[in-house]
Amino acid sequence: MVVLLAAAVFAVPLFKRLGLGTVLGYLAAGLLLGPSGIGLIADPQSVLHAAELGVVMFLFIIGLEMEPARLWSLRKQIFGLGAVQVGVCGLLLTGVGILLGFAPAVSFVFGMGFVLTSTAIVMQILGEANQLSTDGGQKMVSILLLEDLAIVPLLAIVAILAPSTGEVSMVTRLTGIGLALGAVVVLIFLGRRIMNPVFSLLANAKIREVMTAAALLVVLGAALLMQSVGLSMAMGAFLAGVLLSTSTFRNQLEADVEPFRGILLGLFFLAVGMSLDLSVVAASWQIIAVAVVSYMIVKALAIYVIARLLRSSHKEALKRAVLMSQGGEFAFVLYTTAASSGLIDGPTNAIFTATVIISMVLTPFALVGLRYVMPKPVQSLDGVVVPEDLSERVLLIGFGRFGQIASQALLGQGHSISIIDNDVEMIEAAATFGFKVYYGDGTRLDILRAAGAPNADLVLVCTDNKEATTRIVELMRSEYPLVKVIARSFDRQHAIELRKLGVEYELRETFESALSFGAQAIRELGATEDEIIEVVAGVRTRDKLRFEAQLLGGIDAGRDLLISNAIEQAREGGVERPAEQPVVPEAAEPVRPT
């Protein structure tokens, strides 16, 4: 365990920093530790069996996010889009296997195993990119759910295709199906009628570790129940999560299971990397290389075409094709079952397994390449107007929350304002409230000229991007030095930078609101209005003096003007607070801005 944890701690941050993703870091660390690497872990299968619980817990947490109503709303995507993708890809990959020289039954097992995309990898990547709740992410989640469900009939088909031993009768098979359905019914009953009352009792006991144990018991118990009747452990955990998704204890369950999920899922990826037998790859590298390339390309093309036919955008279809072009962890289950039933032999199983693992390893690299071919987002300019020969006395650049409020004082006094912004959605929203906002990027000199900057009396830079604000101020000072410029600054360091560039006035975007907030805080604590006015004036004075010191001496200057909570601690230790300083600490920014 020390070796595995050390590998994860060092490899995963390194790969993430290199932009290759955490999954590839785990896989690479596992490959290094396994029999094909330095051999510190001699039996990767034993690690893999335990690490599969990470996938189980991961699907439980996904289930917690899938309330029955939400799951029902995705039924068309799960049983429509998911079924179409699995069916078409399975048919095409079976044909590829036959072309590679495998028997039809073996090709079917090889192709259908590869169809089952790695739920762990896809969900991890979508989660890291915060795309699980997007429309495209929900479609991929729906397809993955259908693929997880598909392992059940696939295992039954493998049993039918296996060489007949005469020991399995139709009655036995029907009994197995009945047991599977019974297990699902039992789990639904427990989730609906038993789990919530039990968790209520445990919550009243107020013993945190027992709640954690109960959460793990639910996950592992549901997984064990499904496994005992021949179904997927992951399916049982997912179903348990769905049943508890409307429970009042959902957030507590997720918090209890999450740490175990993260560690075990990382362990799973480590074990997959260890399972890659480089000797098998070396001995059969031609067939494996051809299989990996052909299977990934055919599957990706099929996914892309299906997505486009079902009206997904080019960008969404391309990402789904690349992300889901690999095989997955359930392929190992299918291949192992086929090998134990005599449908495929050991070397063939090793080739199939190596093909899937290599495809999983290549996926993060494929995503890196996708960044360079992914079409750049293009905003539609329908319904918006670009500036041309504007001549109002005031130019306001950036009409977000800050700019909208700043405009009110000017408009309230009757000043004419030209407003530009480069967010089309914001421009359209502003139009519904009666504002005329032109589309334009203020960091471009030609846009500033068209917006009337050369002839303006005042330019307000209200953009919410620090670099853009600085660039606009630089252009104004170099091209139109006589025009007054006031700007919104991000923090003290940015404010100092803008002052040195020559703006007439700058205001840190959070200063006034934080000052008002602090004033209300001491009002709630009983301060009189006179005391509040005195304290706020003191804060403003010290901030001004400190800022002037920083203009001359750098960001570390003027520290003595800050009131720290350390002063209060010193007073408690017998040191009196300086009399000239107010007793309320300033709601100041950190000395070293982030």
Side-chain angles (χ1 to χ4, degrees), residues 9 16 60 106 121 125 157 189 216 266 381 393 414 420 442 448 494 500 503 545 585:
V9 166
K16 187 173 178 65
F60 174 73
V106 175
I121 287 180
I125 291 174
I157 293 173
F189 172 77
L216 294 175
L381 298 182
R393 294 183 60 198
I420 64 172
L448 290 176
H494 190 218
K500 289 182 177 180
V503 297
L545 293 174

Side-chain angles (χ1 to χ4, degrees), residues 95-115:
V96 173
I98 293 174
L99 293 176
L100 291 177
F102 296 105
V106 175
S107 298
F108 174 80
V109 173
F110 193 4
M112 292 308 300
F114 203 91
V115 165

Side-chain angles (χ1 to χ4, degrees), residues 571-593:
R571 189 179 67 81
E572 292 175 356
V575 179
E576 292 296 328
R577 183 191 303 274
E580 69 275 12
Q581 292 184 337
V583 295
V584 180
E586 172 192 353
E589 296 169 279
V591 173
R592 294 188 180 276

Side-chain angles (χ1 to χ4, degrees), residues 384-406:
V384 299
V385 182
V386 296
E388 185 176 359
D389 298 328
L390 303 182
S391 58
E392 278 76 6
R393 294 183 60 198
V394 180
L395 171 62
L396 191 152
I397 305 172
F399 201 59
R401 294 169 299 170
F402 190 97
Q404 291 165 20
I405 297 173

